[in-house]
Amino acid sequence: QVQLQESGPGLVKPSETLSLTCTVSGGSISGYYWTWIRQPPGKRLEWIGYIHYSGTNNYNPSLKSRVTMSVDTSKDQLSLRLRSVTAADTAVYYCARLGICSGGCLADHWGQGILVTVSS
Amino acid sequence: EIVLTQSPGTLSLSPGERATLSCRASQSVSSANLAWYQQKPGQAPRLLIFGASSRATGTPDRFSGSGSGTDFTLTISRLEPEDFAVYFCLQYSTSTRTFGQGTKLEIK
């Protein structure tokens, strides 16, 4: 059973960079697309973007200028960097595998999520 | 960007009853690329339905999805105690995926 676990700082200062890692276990990162999704408190989920294990990516236009995703196939990890954060970036951040492709691809396995608060 | 609107916001029902949840899109969702997820507090979302009506592996057959175009429905035929949770829809027909705001299914 594939499991995903997000890790990183739970508190980031405004204007700094949010950096998260997602470690995949019980399966390989190779062969799949992977995605990051977030949910601000009291709001709906927001898709941040996705990345293929080869490195090909696609980001949400609303975040594209500040987001970088990467993969490390040797460690079965993916990473998310979000620059110049503000309080509006406070959210639970999830990583997920896009493991079902029917038309488009969608997330079939998710991590538990990690709360990141942006505050000084 | 396709906006998904779910209704109702909260649904109060008793075990054994039938639940009907709606997800309406601001424009047509091509190829019925619409999925439903269940989320319980502190847990990762669980995929229930994809392609509007296909059950994911492990989804009980009391869960069914229907719809096309802009109107989609998740039906739970007879509620079990473990079904009380938040349900949200996702469209994956465009490069920018979008989610509904969720429906909370609570015990009456």
Side-chain angles (χ1 to χ4, degrees):
Chain A
Q1 176 77 340
V2 173
Q3 293 188 315
L4 295 82
Q5 181 67 59
E6 303 89 350
S7 59
L11 181 64
V12 181
K13 289 182 168 58
S15 80
E16 295 190 344
T17 296
L18 179 159
S19 296
L20 297 176
T21 298
C22 176
T23 301
V24 178
S25 58
S28 173
I29 204 167
S30 297
Y32 290 97
Y33 285 90
W34 302 85
T35 187
W36 287 93
I37 293 160
R38 69 181 185 178
Q39 186 168 32
K43 296 188 176 182
R44 70 181 65 199
L45 291 153
E46 179 181 30
W47 176 76
I48 300 171
Y50 63 72
I51 186 167
H52 191 243
Y53 75 101
S54 64
T56 305
N57 57 60
N58 183 27
Y59 301 147
N60 189 322
S62 68
L63 297 169
K64 188 173 183 177
S65 64
R66 299 193 290 131
V67 169
T68 301
M69 294 181 186
S70 60
V71 293
D72 185 336
T73 54
S74 67
K75 296 181 179 179
D76 284 324
Q77 289 181 334
L78 50 152
S79 298
L80 170 71
R81 288 172 55 86
L82 181 64
R83 296 176 291 279
S84 304
V85 298
T86 69
D89 295 308
T90 293
V92 176
Y93 286 76
Y94 296 95
C95 58
R97 186 184 78 171
L98 298 181
I100 293 180
C101 293
S102 170
C105 293
L106 66 151
D108 61 345
H109 290 280
W110 297 56
Q112 295 286 342
I114 183 170
L115 174 62
V116 179
T117 301
V118 178
S119 174
S120 57
Chain B
E1 178 176 299
I2 297 178
V3 177
L4 300 180
T5 302
Q6 292 186 241
S7 61
T10 301
L11 185 57
S12 299
L13 294 170
S14 300
E17 290 192 294
R18 180 185 185 91
T20 303
L21 288 67
S22 172
C23 178
R24 179 162 291 177
S26 61
Q27 56 188 278
S28 183
V29 176
S30 62
S31 304
N33 286 343
L34 191 287
W36 290 93
Y37 291 85
Q38 176 193 69
Q39 187 173 26
K40 297 179 179 179
Q43 296 186 17
R46 172 193 174 193
L47 176 64
L48 297 175
I49 301 286
F50 65 94
S53 60
S54 298
R55 276 188 287 272
T57 302
T59 301
D61 60 8
R62 64 180 180 274
F63 290 88
S64 62
S66 63
S68 64
T70 61
D71 289 296
F72 298 87
T73 300
L74 174 70
T75 301
I76 310 171
S77 58
R78 283 181 59 86
L79 286 165
E80 297 288 340
E82 63 266 28
D83 298 337
F84 292 91
V86 174
Y87 293 83
F88 59 88
C89 53
L90 158 73
Q91 70 79 21
Y92 53 102
S93 67
T94 61
S95 60
T96 302
R97 272 75 162 140
T98 53
F99 295 87
Q101 83 278 23
T103 289
K104 182 180 181 182
L105 179 55
E106 64 177 24
I107 299 177
K108 187 174 182 180

